[in-house]
Amino acid sequence: MPASSPQALNTLVQQLVPRTRTDDRLKSDLAEVCRDILNSHIGHAREPDVAVLSELIKRQIAQTSHDPNASIRFSNLLARLMEQSVLSRKQSVLHFLQSIGPAPRPTSVTPSAFLPSLRVPPAPRSRASRVPSPEPQPVPEERERARTQAEILRDYRARIGRSHLPEHLLLRDTLFLLQGISGKYVRFAETRPYAEDRDEARLVFVDDPNQRFIIPSPTRTLILRISELGHLYIRVSSFVREREGKPGVGMIEQSLCHYLQTQLTEYYRLVAVLESQMAHSTADNQRDDGLTLRRLEVWIDEWRLKMRMMATCVEGCEDSHGGALVSLIHGHTSNGDPFVRTFTNELLEEVSKPFFEILQKWLFAGELHDPYGEFFVAIDPEMAHLHQAGSDHNALSADGGFGGGGGMDDDVQREEGEGGLRLWQSKYIFSKDMLPSFVGEAFGKKIFSTGRTLNFIRYTCQDSDWVATRNKMSNADRNLQYSDIAALERSIDDAFRIANQRLFDVFIDKFKLMDHVRALKMYLLLGQGDFVEQLMEALAPNLARPANTLYRHNLTATLEAAVRASNAAQAPSDVLRRLDVRMLAYTHGELGWDVFTLEYKVDAPLDTIVDPEATTAYLRVFNHLWRLKRIERALSEGWTRVIGGARTFLRVPEHERDWHQTRIVLAEMIHFVRQLQAYCQLEVIECSYKALVDFVQKKEGDLDALIEAHRTYLDRVTKKILLISPKAGKEEYLLGQLREIFEIILQFRDATDAFYGHTLTEAARRDGERDAERGIHVQTDTLPAPRDDLKRAVKRIKEYASAFSEHAQAIVHGCQTHPDLDCRFLAIRLNFSDFYRSKKDKS
Amino acid sequence: MSTARDSERLSSAQQTIDILHEMSQLLNTKLDKETLVTCVQMIESGANPEALAEVVKELRRESQALQAEERENGRPGSSAGGR
């Protein structure tokens, strides 16, 4: 040991061997010997730590010293020593003291004979140190006696011919059982392998034909316990084998089988090891390190749990499939037993691989590649061909389109057009049962929506390049797997966001969604005032004619003229192209007003949002607004006539009062209609439209949200304009009232016209009379006295005026109690000066 | 300053040695204080404790043998080169 100086060694030698102080030669000899010892390998092997050392030392003290306090004193000393900072190798010093300590034991105080055996068995030190409070060893005599008793028993049994079956024979059988094979003494009963009653003992113990041996009942129980594993093994392995050859086994099941197969291979390994152990023990039965039934049970304990889990999975496979199976397995991951948990996690990692592969394709490419229907998104078989049609169409247009293919193209287009929304809504079906429980329903919906969006972008919006690029990009750095759920959720969120962002962009930038929605508002909801005015002006004479005399081409020409004459001519041609007139199916006796309608055509993929249902709603609202417009026009015309005419040439003094009344009623009607129009345009359409625009600008949510937003917009418009009440059975009560009031106004107009005519005749007659008085010759007999007609006309006007008043009151009253706030506001508008209320109160 | 630290060091070394000596007495090692100090020094300078214990035992044996020889011969020092 190079570190120890010879000086110190010499001192040591001198201290211990006093004679060397005088004898130098002896000293150097001894020092040489000592150095040899120090340099030898003694004690290099181990370096025990302080705790072990102190334990050893205490034991030594306890053995050698009579003082009961000695070990406590030592503990105190040790604690104090540990506080000292001078020594750097306290442990080694302690070790030294301990090593040198035992030396004087033989010369120390004589230990009592019983003490060591009671305290610590000295020989197997290692064992003693493991057991801190050793039990008293059984005295050898006792052991001798016990053995003798066992032998006596065995002899007795042999005498009466019912000795126990040697264990090694049973052991071999048990090993067979583990592999699902019946042994010689123990075998599986020949019952149905998948009997419902699983508790029924299916193990049969075959008695020795010569009745020489019996199997004692504790051993039977033990074997039964062990054989559970064999039974489970049969189930699992038969399942794996059964699935191997079967066609149409889902990928998730396949990977389950794969995993089970790996596990079974491990199991075979265990059995092989056990078998070699058994060979060992049978070769030398006397040795106690061989295999016994009890040891076997301990060995296979872990496998029993594993097998149970596997069997559970196999059972689950019987009636669930795909994602549901993954869910089922996932249910076990929250098991309280950490072993089961780990095993399940491992299993799940393996089993969920195909699931994640499908998920990845779906999430990043929008493709559903699921030949066995295991994913939680399923395709509607009826819709599948649409997808095909879409891609065919793609291919065609990508080719630059063959000239002759136009007709076919159109067909495809129409087919697609019909199914725009249907395609989006029902091409893929979300099946909650198949959703693995670790994904969570909210995320499942997100995944579903993302894939659907991608698919939609790809096929309906014909933007597959983008999807393909995205797919490549995201494939590069993403690998979805079960163990990293957090990353999975992140990926889902990202994909969801990006896909929908893209969808919005496509809709708004490429397909100009908002332009079309605006156009719909402008034309179908009569937002473009000058255009509507022009159209009304040009069409009014035509529309007053019976419906069957109208021709669509005439109307179209009128429409074009109206467009050209108004600011609408500035609108993009793509928008104007879609604007068209149409005549609804008419029955005999209907006027052009009843059947005329504007139309705005949308094609794929916009028809996903402006679906046929929405188109109907637009038409309905248009119809109403158009009628309102017509009333307004009629009233304006009547007003000019009445005001202008009555002042100038309708000079019939006894009817001045009637005319005045008529003008008042007319003003009331005009007020009513104007307020109604203002309400429709300003309160309803513009406000709703703003909400829609705000939503679109946010670009949040998916296509569903967009459709929903548009639907809400349209719904709001329809409900408020048509004053639809949510009360069941009375939804259209106010609308009916409105229609009636429109009717009354028109009839009133007719009546005023008649009155006007008659007044005019009367005025002319009086003029003639006056002329005759002045001597101018006129043909008086051509103008009969129309007194009765005039009276009738006045009466009609009065009737209609009071009818209008009643209806207006009813409408105001209805609007006042309407649950919708805007409708109530309409009542305030109409009844601003409490005009209608006061009348009602008076009555 | 340095002297203060030295004295502190000295007293603590003294304490340590006292503790160790008491321990060795408890363990019945029969080492006197000086020998103990020497041994501790050697261990501190890197000697293997178990080997050192062997050395001490060996030297004790040697000393006993020499004493016995001395008692036999009756006179000291003559057979110094016995080994």
Side-chain angles (χ1 to χ4, degrees):
Chain A
M1 193 142 298
S4 59
S5 61
Q7 182 65 42
L9 197 59
N10 284 341
T11 322
L12 190 66
V13 171
Q14 278 180 7
Q15 276 165 349
L16 284 174
V17 189
R19 253 179 69 185
T20 51
R21 284 168 203 169
T22 52
D23 191 341
D24 271 352
R25 190 154 159 242
L26 181 61
K27 185 168 91 181
S28 63
D29 276 359
L30 284 178
E32 188 67 31
V33 172
C34 291
R35 202 168 292 124
D36 281 351
I37 295 173
L38 279 179
N39 288 339
S40 72
H41 290 289
I42 295 175
H44 278 219
R46 62 203 175 101
E47 188 78 359
D49 73 352
V50 178
V52 173
L53 270 174
S54 71
E55 195 59 37
L56 281 175
I57 291 172
K58 270 184 210 162
R59 197 166 298 137
Q60 262 175 32
I61 291 172
Q63 279 180 18
T64 52
S65 154
H66 279 304
D67 186 359
N69 293 329
S71 56
I72 298 168
R73 264 175 68 204
F74 173 77
S75 298
N76 287 339
L77 286 172
L78 186 66
R80 274 167 63 198
L81 180 67
M82 285 303 156
E83 283 168 17
Q84 300 292 335
S85 58
V86 179
L87 291 185
S88 60
R89 304 182 62 195
K90 294 182 183 108
Q91 193 174 321
S92 302
V93 175
L94 278 181
H95 193 184
F96 165 71
L97 288 179
Q98 190 258 330
S99 313
I100 207 166
R105 193 169 56 178
T107 57
S108 71
V109 209
T110 48
S112 71
F114 285 102
L115 217 53
S117 68
L118 272 179
R119 287 247 171 125
V120 183
R125 166 132 332 151
S126 60
R127 216 168 114 206
S129 66
R130 231 184 289 138
V131 189
S133 55
E135 299 160 15
Q137 269 316 72
V139 197
E141 285 88 348
E142 265 176 18
R143 196 182 283 167
E144 197 61 39
R145 212 170 57 207
R147 194 177 292 149
T148 322
Q149 269 181 349
E151 260 162 13
I152 289 168
L153 196 58
R154 200 177 305 144
D155 288 349
Y156 169 72
R157 283 197 189 115
R159 236 189 0 263
I160 65 167
R162 296 183 68 81
S163 58
H164 288 171
L165 195 66
E167 194 169 326
H168 63 95
L169 292 177
L170 273 177
L171 204 55
R172 202 184 53 213
D173 273 14
T174 315
L175 278 179
F176 281 139
L177 287 181
L178 284 184
Q179 299 163 71
I181 304 166
S182 292
K184 188 175 172 195
Y185 300 100
V186 190
R187 59 183 50 186
F188 286 108
E190 298 289 329
T191 52
R192 296 147 295 161
Y194 287 103
E196 282 96 75
D197 187 10
R198 283 190 201 99
D199 293 333
E200 128 192 56
R202 304 200 298 102
L203 214 55
V204 175
F205 293 95
V206 183
D207 287 328
D208 195 60
N210 305 337
Q211 292 288 320
R212 274 188 303 124
F213 295 118
I214 58 157
I215 304 167
S217 93
T219 318
R220 281 174 190 241
T221 317
L222 198 60
I223 292 176
L224 266 177
R225 278 162 62 90
I226 296 173
S227 68
E228 181 197 346
L229 196 57
H231 163 66
L232 293 173
Y233 165 79
I234 293 177
R235 292 180 68 88
V236 174
S237 68
S238 70
F239 171 79
V240 171
R241 244 175 292 129
E242 192 183 303
R243 293 295 145 127
E244 247 169 26
K246 219 161 98 178
V249 175
M251 290 201 288
I252 288 177
E253 269 173 61
Q254 281 176 25
S255 68
L256 176 68
C257 286
H258 172 74
Y259 185 77
L260 292 180
Q261 191 61 59
T262 335
Q263 288 295 318
L264 287 183
T265 314
E266 285 291 315
Y267 179 68
Y268 294 145
R269 193 166 295 151
L270 173 79
V271 172
V273 169
L274 289 175
E275 216 154 4
S276 73
Q277 287 271 329
M278 186 188 68
H280 215 243
S281 64
T282 39
D284 183 4
N285 215 10
Q286 300 308 309
R287 283 177 54 184
D288 55 351
D289 59 346
L291 197 62
T292 64
L293 278 176
R294 278 163 197 81
R295 281 194 184 141
L296 182 67
E297 214 215 329
V298 175
W299 268 85
I300 61 167
D301 194 45
E302 189 174 294
W303 270 96
R304 193 192 329 244
L305 273 175
K306 274 194 194 177
M307 275 291 183
R308 274 185 197 158
M309 282 309 303
M310 281 149 74
T312 313
C313 295
V314 166
E315 263 165 52
C317 233
E318 298 291 323
D319 44 29
S320 57
H321 145 98
L325 181 61
V326 177
S327 274
L328 187 94
I329 299 172
H330 181 251
H332 293 290
T333 50
S334 38
N335 196 309
D337 187 344
F339 175 79
V340 175
R341 217 157 47 214
T342 339
F343 177 76
T344 323
N345 274 330
E346 237 171 68
L347 173 65
L348 207 53
E349 177 78 32
E350 196 73 27
V351 169
S352 62
K353 257 181 200 159
F355 170 79
F356 279 105
E357 220 136 271
I358 302 173
L359 177 65
Q360 191 150 347
K361 272 228 175 72
W362 172 250
L363 197 58
F364 297 130
E367 290 279 15
L368 186 65
H369 181 76
D370 182 17
Y372 301 107
E374 290 167 309
F375 201 51
F376 61 86
V377 177
I379 192 163
D380 187 337
E382 279 181 34
M383 296 288 183
H385 77 280
L386 281 179
H387 157 118
Q388 271 325 102
S391 47
D392 281 353
H393 178 60
N394 265 357
L396 244 163
S397 49
D399 276 354
F402 294 102
M408 203 186 84
D409 235 36
D410 253 15
D411 279 355
V412 174
Q413 193 85 30
R414 200 166 315 125
E415 193 176 354
E416 239 175 73
E418 276 168 9
L421 181 72
R422 223 156 59 89
L423 188 68
W424 161 257
Q425 277 182 339
S426 44
K427 180 171 174 189
Y428 292 107
I429 304 158
F430 183 82
S431 114
K432 206 178 140 196
D433 295 344
M434 289 304 229
L435 180 71
S437 40
F438 57 81
V439 178
E441 202 182 333
F443 270 103
K445 286 262 192 263
K446 260 189 180 174
I447 296 169
F448 175 57
S449 167
T450 310
R452 215 152 57 120
T453 308
L454 288 174
N455 194 285
F456 189 78
I457 291 177
R458 194 161 186 167
Y459 291 112
T460 315
C461 303
Q462 292 155 22
D463 193 8
S464 50
D465 287 350
W466 179 79
V467 176
T469 327
R470 268 274 311 145
N471 184 25
K472 261 182 221 131
M473 271 164 59
S474 41
N475 259 353
D477 55 357
R478 250 162 253 186
N479 205 4
L480 301 179
Q481 53 187 3
Y482 167 69
S483 51
D484 201 357
I485 290 287
L488 171 71
E489 289 181 353
R490 238 182 358 261
S491 304
I492 292 170
D493 272 338
D494 282 354
F496 179 76
R497 200 171 38 73
I498 292 170
N500 281 308
Q501 185 82 29
R502 177 68 189 174
L503 185 74
F504 270 71
D505 287 350
V506 165
F507 261 109
I508 291 167
D509 297 336
K510 188 173 168 197
F511 294 107
K512 308 243 180 292
L513 171 71
M514 286 324 278
D515 281 5
H516 294 297
V517 174
R518 223 176 121 249
L520 279 167
K521 179 175 90 88
M522 283 301 187
Y523 304 118
L524 286 193
L525 303 184
L526 308 188
Q528 180 96 20
D530 57 345
F531 162 77
V532 178
E533 209 64 51
Q534 288 290 336
L535 191 67
M536 184 59 88
E537 201 68 45
L539 278 178
N542 287 335
L543 292 182
R545 293 203 302 245
N548 54 3
T549 58
L550 291 176
Y551 295 102
R552 188 166 167 269
H553 53 263
N554 290 340
L555 295 177
T556 319
T558 324
L559 174 72
E560 266 169 32
V563 167
R564 268 199 303 278
S566 66
N567 267 330
Q570 318 254 321
S573 60
D574 182 44
V575 167
L576 292 180
R577 191 168 58 81
R578 294 159 190 271
L579 195 59
D580 198 5
V581 288
R582 196 152 67 95
M583 285 166 50
L584 305 172
Y586 53 81
T587 51
H588 182 72
E590 275 185 324
L591 291 181
W593 291 109
D594 300 320
V595 293
F596 170 79
T597 185
L598 270 185
E599 197 185 26
Y600 193 85
K601 287 178 184 142
V602 273
D603 47 21
L606 285 179
D607 62 346
T608 313
I609 292 169
V610 187
D611 54 334
E613 202 181 309
T615 316
T616 317
Y618 271 120
L619 288 186
R620 197 168 167 216
V621 176
F622 170 77
N623 197 280
H624 183 77
L625 289 175
W626 184 247
R627 198 172 292 185
L628 193 60
K629 194 80 193 163
R630 177 190 168 202
I631 302 295
E632 192 217 351
R633 199 187 116 79
L635 284 174
S636 309
E637 268 184 348
W639 182 252
T640 23
R641 189 178 266 188
V642 165
I643 294 298
R647 291 266 163 83
T648 50
F649 49 85
L650 292 179
R651 295 197 173 276
V652 182
E654 62 264 40
H655 286 302
E656 281 297 334
R657 200 184 127 73
D658 291 330
W659 274 116
H660 184 64
Q661 287 297 329
T662 312
R663 281 196 296 271
I664 288 176
V665 175
L666 208 53
E668 196 185 329
M669 286 175 176
I670 290 174
H671 166 80
F672 184 84
V673 170
R674 287 270 159 83
Q675 292 307 321
L676 207 55
Q677 274 188 321
Y679 160 77
C680 291
Q681 293 295 342
L682 304 177
E683 306 291 337
V684 180
I685 297 179
E686 289 300 331
C687 291
S688 314
Y689 184 70
K690 179 160 190 315
L692 177 67
V693 169
D694 282 351
F695 172 82
V696 172
Q697 270 165 1
K698 266 193 292 180
K699 295 191 180 181
E700 267 172 20
D702 53 1
L703 187 56
D704 269 334
L706 192 60
I707 293 174
E708 192 53 43
H710 182 257
R711 199 166 281 166
T712 315
Y713 158 73
L714 199 57
D715 224 44
R716 195 175 151 184
V717 168
T718 316
K719 279 218 174 103
K720 292 189 176 184
I721 287 184
L722 301 182
L723 300 176
I724 306 263
S725 158
K727 274 183 217 151
K730 293 180 110 185
E731 285 96 347
E732 301 208 334
Y733 172 71
L734 280 174
L735 183 64
Q737 293 275 321
L738 267 184
R739 295 231 165 102
E740 272 177 43
I741 222 169
F742 290 168
E743 221 36 60
I744 291 167
I745 290 175
L746 286 177
Q747 281 168 345
F748 178 79
R749 250 306 304 276
D750 282 349
T752 1
D753 278 355
F755 184 38
Y756 178 85
H758 292 308
T759 321
L760 194 61
T761 325
E762 179 66 16
R765 196 179 58 81
R766 289 186 185 188
D767 273 354
E769 277 177 7
R770 274 197 293 273
D771 286 347
E773 275 169 24
R774 279 186 278 152
I776 302 168
H777 172 76
V778 280
Q779 290 182 307
T780 43
D781 35 325
T782 50
L783 296 167
R787 294 310 244 170
D788 294 346
D789 286 349
L790 202 62
K791 282 231 176 74
R792 217 177 303 133
V794 172
K795 206 178 139 221
R796 265 174 67 206
I797 285 181
K798 281 198 174 134
E799 269 173 26
Y800 290 135
S802 67
F804 169 79
S805 193
E806 268 168 34
H807 276 92
Q809 245 183 64
I811 287 174
V812 167
H813 187 68
C815 284
Q816 268 168 348
T817 53
H818 201 279
D820 192 294
L821 210 64
D822 284 321
C823 290
R824 255 183 273 170
F825 189 67
L826 173 67
I828 293 172
R829 261 172 176 280
L830 291 172
N831 190 19
F832 193 72
S833 54
D834 271 355
F835 178 71
Y836 294 106
R837 201 194 65 181
S838 63
K839 250 186 184 174
K840 191 184 166 215
D841 284 353
K842 259 184 263 161
S843 65
Chain B
M1 179 89 175
S2 68
T3 50
R5 195 192 290 160
D6 276 356
S7 71
E8 198 181 285
R9 225 180 116 73
L10 251 169
S11 77
S12 115
Q14 191 61 44
Q15 266 180 24
T16 313
I17 292 301
D18 283 348
I19 293 167
L20 284 177
H21 188 234
E22 207 166 328
M23 274 186 179
S24 80
Q25 273 174 339
L26 266 178
L27 275 167
N28 210 3
T29 55
K30 302 208 170 117
L31 287 170
D32 55 10
K33 233 180 196 172
E34 288 83 38
T35 320
L36 186 64
V37 168
T38 317
C39 292
V40 168
Q41 273 169 357
M42 285 179 74
I43 291 168
E44 281 294 295
S45 57
N48 186 313
E50 260 183 88
L52 189 63
E54 277 312 306
V55 167
V56 171
K57 284 182 202 162
E58 177 65 34
L59 287 176
R60 273 196 185 135
R61 253 200 308 283
E62 195 65 35
S63 164
Q64 268 176 2
L66 282 173
Q67 273 171 11
E69 198 179 299
E70 221 168 85
R71 240 178 274 129
E72 245 173 48
N73 290 354
R75 56 192 181 87
S78 64
S79 59
R83 288 183 64 118

